[in-house]
Amino acid sequence: MKLLTRRTLIKNTILGAAASVIAIPLQAKTTTPHEMEGPFYPITPQKDQDADLTKVKGLSGVAKGEIIEVFGQVLDQDSNPIEDVTIDLWQANSFGKYHHPHDTSTAPVDENFQAWAIIQSGQQGKYRFKTIIPGAYPLGSTQQRTPHIHFKIGKNGYISLLTQMYFPGQPLNTQDGLFKRKSSKEQAMMTARRIGESNQYQYDIVIERL
Ligand SMILES: [Fe+2]
């Protein structure tokens, strides 16, 4: 075996250390996967767009369905929280009906369900809203969309994101045409995390700087 001189040994050690520093990959987060907008982005003007979708201003009733809270953080790819991000979200009611003139299904409208909200991320990029688990709805004559919430996320200086959030444990997830097209990693990123057996769901969103 060739004996290394002290100088070669020191040199190799320094080069090795430098190489190992260079080899460490930057752990950039993957951005939240994109999904299509769908046909039911709200088009009917609506005054009440606050973070409580279970009540409509001026009405005394409460939306039908299982009430939940969705919360999370908007982050960039380096895990920095992003404040003042506009989060535009809409969903079907608990019967699987969109409050949209082009939804021709016979499922009932729920007048006490707000259906659409535009909120902003606050300190530390955090956001929270109260809603109900959306119903599944038919797609054509043979398919069903699994429960989901649509999101449109935007802030100057960042690439805007259209996506859909899914719920864990929904039996229709495995049959949903859009969900099935995603890789398992993408599916995981698009599925909220239920906190224990509670009505709280965490959904962090990662967007990319322009
Ligand atoms: Fe939808």
Side-chain angles (χ1 to χ4, degrees), residues 50-173:
D50 70 6
D52 184 356
L53 287 82
T54 67
K55 288 182 179 169
V56 173
K57 235 168 249 166
L59 299 178
S60 57
V62 176
K64 292 188 175 66
E66 186 182 340
I67 292 177
I68 59 166
E69 279 197 317
V70 179
F71 70 95
Q73 234 179 340
V74 186
L75 304 162
D76 70 13
Q77 286 177 291
D78 299 320
S79 300
N80 300 306
I82 316 172
E83 298 179 357
D84 303 322
V85 174
T86 301
I87 304 168
D88 184 340
L89 62 110
W90 67 104
Q91 64 168 87
N93 68 23
S94 61
F95 305 109
K97 172 90 171 174
Y98 281 91
H99 292 183
H100 191 289
H102 298 162
D103 185 344
T104 55
S105 83
T106 54
V109 167
D110 179 356
E111 63 171 11
N112 294 310
F113 180 51
Q114 188 180 294
W116 179 23
I118 301 179
I119 59 175
Q120 291 212 296
S121 65
Q123 280 192 343
Q124 293 297 307
K126 290 180 182 173
Y127 74 91
R128 178 180 288 269
F129 61 92
K130 189 175 178 184
T131 188
I132 47 95
I133 301 231
Y137 58 88
L139 191 67
S141 54
T142 55
Q143 290 188 54
Q144 274 197 299
R145 284 299 333 268
T146 195
H148 60 275
I149 300 178
H150 295 263
F151 281 81
K152 215 181 243 197
I153 314 279
K155 179 178 167 84
N156 282 345
Y158 294 84
I159 296 172
S160 54
L161 172 73
L162 259 175
T163 192
Q164 299 183 20
M165 184 201 97
Y166 296 93
F167 292 88
Q170 287 288 337
L172 283 171
N173 283 352

